[in-house]
């Protein structure tokens, strides 16, 4: 397993290089001058030239790429054209908010999706099974932006049960930064008021972002469990007089979770990409909004930084999924 993990980390470097080359090439193909886009159409020629020299845009694409890679090896992701700050500092500010949101959405999806999937499989063709399938069907068809607006209209505007957009109420100050995730930092600071407020602000965006993933996990869990529950060894266990709960938890659940684990890995990646719409609707200052603003303003250093982060997340999650396979079933060899 250790050799496998080392091999995957080495492959991660190749992914890194490939993604950086593809992203840089695509950025060069955009038929818009980033200097003009940043300064506006009314900028003077000397201002545009000075801007190009400042950010190295007056050099050839090959020189720009080699210069970028050289800085990257030193941990420098460049300077954002839009915010005029180092991209690494921007990512440090925006990434924790997206991770916090994605993890909360994943928790919602895991708890509801797997629990409802198991219940639907155990009580096949019952009223509960029918309701779960309708829930999954609606979850797969409902656009995230529409669900988010409905959530805000009901639970914030009408019922006033939960707070509106943002990570905290306007009168509250963020907790001292440790991780950048307000819930964790509030807990570490022992500030229960901030913790409660940050959790309340997290409920609606997490439920919105996690709804689609819940539907996917529900369908996969139900399908996988139905297949496992029909196997001969399950019938044998029941014939021996084992209680249904023991058969389910000890024999069926472990084998039924292997394909679900694959779906969890893929779903987590989709949570990060789906966070763009959710962050926009709920004014959540995360990586999705940063990436959107950077792309629309042709802020290539920022776009490259966000892309590299995404290139890291997917292989790491897939590696964790593969390790999970081995933990669930040691007969499965990694690699």
């Amino acid at each position: 397993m250790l050799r496998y993990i080392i091999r995957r980390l080495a492959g991660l470097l190749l992914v890194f290089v490939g993604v950086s080359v593809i992203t840089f090439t695509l950025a060069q193909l955009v038929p818009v001058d980033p200097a003009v886009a940043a300064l506006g159409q009314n900028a003077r020629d000397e201002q545009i030239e000075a801007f190009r020299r400042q950010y190295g845009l007056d050099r050839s694409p090959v020189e720009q790429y080699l210069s970028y890679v050289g800085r990257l090896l030193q941990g420098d992701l460049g300077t954002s054209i839009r915010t005029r700050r180092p991209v690494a500092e921007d990512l440090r500010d925006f990434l924790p908010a997206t991770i916090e949101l994605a993890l909360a959405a994943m928790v919602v999806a895991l708890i509801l999706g797997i629990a409802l999937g198991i219940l639907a499989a155990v009580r096949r063709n019952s009223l509960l099974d029918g309701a779960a399938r309708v829930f999954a069907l609606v979850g797969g068809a409902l656009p995230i932006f529409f669900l988010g607006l409905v959530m805000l209209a009901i639970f914030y505007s009408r019922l006033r049960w939960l707070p509106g957009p943002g990570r905290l109420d306007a009168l509250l100050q963020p907790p001292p930064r440790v991780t950048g995730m307000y819930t964790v930092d509030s807990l570490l600071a022992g500030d229960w008021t901030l913790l409660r407020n940050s959790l309340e602000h997290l409920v609606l965006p997490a439920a919105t972002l996690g709804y689609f993933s819940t539907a996917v996990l529900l369908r996969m869990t139900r399908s996988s469990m139905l297949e496992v529950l029909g196997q001969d060894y399950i019938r044998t266990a029941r014939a021996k007089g084992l209680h249904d709960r023991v058969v389910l938890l000890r024999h069926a659940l472990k084998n039924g979770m292997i394909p679900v684990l694959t779906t969890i890995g893929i779903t987590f990646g989709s949570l990060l990409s789906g966070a763009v719409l959710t962050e926009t609707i709920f004014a959540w200052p995360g990586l999705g909004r940063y990436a959107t603003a950077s792309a629309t303003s042709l802020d290539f250093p920022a776009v490259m930084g966000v892309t590299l982060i995404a290139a890291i997340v997917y292989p790491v999650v897939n590696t964790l999924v593969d390790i999970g396979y081995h933990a669930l079933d040691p007969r499965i060899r990694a690699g």
Side-chain angles (χ1 to χ4, degrees):
M1 177 56 71
L2 179 60
R3 183 181 299 174
Y4 169 73
I5 294 174
I6 294 174
R7 197 162 64 239
R8 292 297 295 262
L9 291 177
L12 187 61
L13 293 177
L14 296 178
V15 172
F16 227 52
V17 174
V19 169
S20 66
V21 170
I22 293 173
T23 308
F24 187 84
T25 303
L26 293 176
Q28 295 297 318
L29 295 177
V30 177
V32 178
D33 189 340
V36 176
L39 297 176
Q41 295 294 334
N42 296 325
R44 297 191 301 274
D45 291 342
E46 54 270 26
Q47 289 177 310
I48 294 175
E49 288 302 320
F51 187 92
R52 286 173 178 160
R53 283 195 299 273
Q54 179 181 354
Y55 289 95
L57 300 175
D58 57 340
R59 291 182 286 177
S60 68
V62 175
E63 289 178 317
Q64 290 183 46
Y65 178 73
L66 292 178
S67 174
Y68 176 78
V69 172
R71 292 196 307 271
L72 192 63
L73 293 176
Q74 301 174 16
D76 182 6
L77 295 175
T79 302
S80 168
I81 295 175
R82 183 176 59 88
T83 65
R84 311 295 172 91
R85 300 175 63 208
V87 173
E89 288 188 11
D90 284 345
L91 295 179
R92 188 178 67 89
D93 289 342
F94 290 103
L95 183 59
T98 297
I99 293 177
E100 183 178 44
L101 177 58
L103 289 176
M106 198 72 235
V107 169
V108 172
L110 289 176
I111 293 175
L112 292 180
I114 293 179
L116 289 176
I118 293 173
L119 289 174
V122 172
R123 301 183 182 181
R124 186 179 185 182
N125 296 328
S126 66
L127 182 61
L128 176 63
D129 184 26
R133 281 188 287 177
V134 170
F135 178 85
L137 182 64
V138 173
L142 206 59
I144 286 181
F145 74 90
F146 179 74
L147 178 63
L149 293 175
V150 170
M151 288 273 199
L152 278 175
I154 295 176
F155 295 103
Y156 169 60
S157 298
R158 180 168 291 276
L159 299 177
R160 298 285 181 183
W161 287 356
L162 291 166
R167 299 182 71 186
L168 288 174
D169 287 349
L171 299 179
L172 295 177
Q173 294 295 321
R177 184 186 179 91
V178 179
T179 65
M181 294 184 278
Y182 286 0
T183 50
V184 177
D185 290 350
S186 301
L187 186 63
L188 293 176
D191 192 329
W192 308 117
T193 302
L194 275 183
L195 176 61
R196 177 181 175 182
N197 194 264
S198 58
L199 286 173
E200 289 176 346
H201 276 268
L202 193 56
V203 171
L204 288 182
T208 300
L209 184 59
Y211 185 40
F212 176 78
S213 303
T214 301
V216 173
L217 287 180
L218 192 160
R219 284 199 298 267
M220 177 54 69
T221 304
R222 179 182 180 275
S223 174
S224 178
M225 289 299 295
L226 283 176
E227 182 178 350
V228 170
L229 290 173
Q231 296 293 320
D232 289 342
Y233 71 91
I234 296 294
R235 283 193 287 269
T236 301
R238 284 174 172 158
K240 289 181 178 178
L242 292 178
H243 194 276
D244 284 345
R245 182 180 301 174
V246 176
V247 173
L248 177 66
L249 297 179
R250 186 176 298 174
H251 298 282
L253 190 59
K254 192 173 181 179
N255 292 325
M257 285 300 103
I258 293 177
V260 176
L261 193 60
T262 305
T263 309
I264 291 173
I266 298 172
T267 302
F268 188 74
S270 68
L271 286 178
L272 292 176
S273 58
V276 174
L277 289 175
T278 307
E279 289 176 359
T280 302
I281 294 169
F282 289 94
W284 195 266
L287 198 62
R289 292 182 68 193
Y290 177 73
T292 304
S294 301
T296 54
S297 60
L298 300 178
D299 187 352
F300 294 143
V303 172
M304 294 281 288
V306 173
T307 306
L308 290 178
I309 290 294
I312 293 174
V313 170
Y314 280 93
V316 168
V317 171
N318 286 328
T319 302
L320 293 176
V321 168
D322 290 342
I323 295 173
Y325 286 155
H326 186 75
L328 285 175
D329 189 350
R331 294 173 300 176
I332 301 176
R333 295 186 60 185

